[in-house]
Structures are given as structure tokens and as C-alpha cells.
Amino acid sequence: MSKKRVALALGTNLGDRVGNLLAAIKGLAEANIKVTQLSRLYESAPAYVTDQPAFLNAAATIETTLSPLDLLKSIKEIEENLGRDMQGQRWGPRPIDLDIIFYEDNEVSDGEKLIIPHPRWQERNFVIAPLADLDSSGIHTLNGS
């Protein structure tokens, strides 16, 4: 498979938040996923479950030869390796959260397991702002074209 450009959202609200983001980026590199761009860091209030610490958010452009489902598997392994409780409360506190927002210009739907573009990205300022920092050429753009 040829290299694909992907936009990821990263978030953390437990422990050393900057350290968690750096560890996630290192985990991507160790999984042979090339990070080509990083956004600035943004602090945001938690969404959905509000009784938890503030999040530190970022976005990254990556290059990968992994299929969307294999990429999902890899990022879930990174999350688990960094201490995320995969059975924890949905939208609850976590040391790291990695989400695939766009996978080139592809749309993917595999039930609840994986939907690309991410189904809630447009309602999340903590995703929109970091994504706007990235050069999105070659990836699904923010205006949907």
C-alpha cells in the first residue's frame, strides 16, 4: 500500500499532559507512523463529561502505509501502552486519546468501530482549532472539498 496522509487529533487530561502528548508522538514513530506536522497546543474544557480536568489538545498530520483499521489498531495500542483504560468511562478522563479525523480523502464506515471522517469533528472546537494549524493539502479539507 502506498503512503497515505492522515489527520489525527490528540488529547490528554491526566498526569503530565505535555509528556503524554510527546510520548504518543514517540509511540507513533516507534510504530513506523511518520509524523509530518504538529499543531500548536490548545487547552480546552472537557466535553460531554464535564466533571474532570481540562484537556491539552493538538493535531498531527501523519504518513502511513497502514489501512484505516490497522492504523486504528496501532493507535489503540499506543493509548493502552500509555496507560489508557480501554474499558474506562466514555468521554471520561484519560492520559491520552488519539483519534483518526481524516484519512486522505477516503470515507470509511465500519459500524461504531471506525467512521472517517470522524463523525463529531465539526462540533469540537478542540479538534477544529488544532486542525486549522495544519497544511491539509492531500487530506480531506476543513471545508469538505
Side-chain angles (χ1 to χ4, degrees):
M1 176 181 251
S2 63
K3 287 186 181 179
K4 301 292 185 183
R5 291 189 68 210
V6 179
L8 296 181
L10 300 85
T12 174
N13 74 336
L14 292 178
D16 175 2
R17 298 179 306 163
V18 172
N20 292 341
L21 292 172
L22 291 172
I25 293 163
K26 182 179 178 186
L28 291 167
E30 290 171 351
N32 293 315
I33 298 167
K34 182 179 178 183
V35 177
T36 58
Q37 291 183 85
L38 284 172
S39 72
R40 292 176 283 187
L41 301 180
Y42 293 83
E43 189 167 57
S44 63
Y48 312 114
V49 176
T50 58
D51 185 22
Q52 59 180 314
F55 277 83
L56 198 58
N57 301 99
T61 303
I62 64 167
E63 289 182 350
T64 184
T65 57
L66 296 173
S67 69
L69 286 172
D70 286 340
L71 177 59
L72 177 65
K73 180 180 176 189
S74 288
I75 65 174
K76 293 303 173 194
E77 287 174 2
I78 292 167
E79 289 177 337
E80 197 165 11
N81 290 341
L82 295 178
R84 180 161 181 187
D85 177 1
M86 303 312 282
Q87 305 304 317
Q89 177 185 17
R90 186 171 188 186
W91 297 315
R94 64 207 84 143
I96 196 68
D97 184 29
L98 304 172
D99 287 324
I100 303 169
I101 306 301
F102 303 118
Y103 186 97
E104 289 226 341
D105 58 356
N106 295 329
E107 292 186 13
V108 176
S109 181
D110 188 2
E112 283 294 308
K113 187 173 185 177
L114 181 62
I115 301 172
I116 301 173
H118 191 288
R120 290 173 298 284
W121 78 269
Q122 291 178 305
E123 67 187 48
R124 297 174 169 181
N125 286 334
F126 59 85
V127 173
I128 294 170
L131 281 176
D133 288 347
L134 304 177
D135 170 14
S136 63
S137 60
I139 306 176
H140 186 294
T141 57
L142 298 181
N143 66 11
S145 61

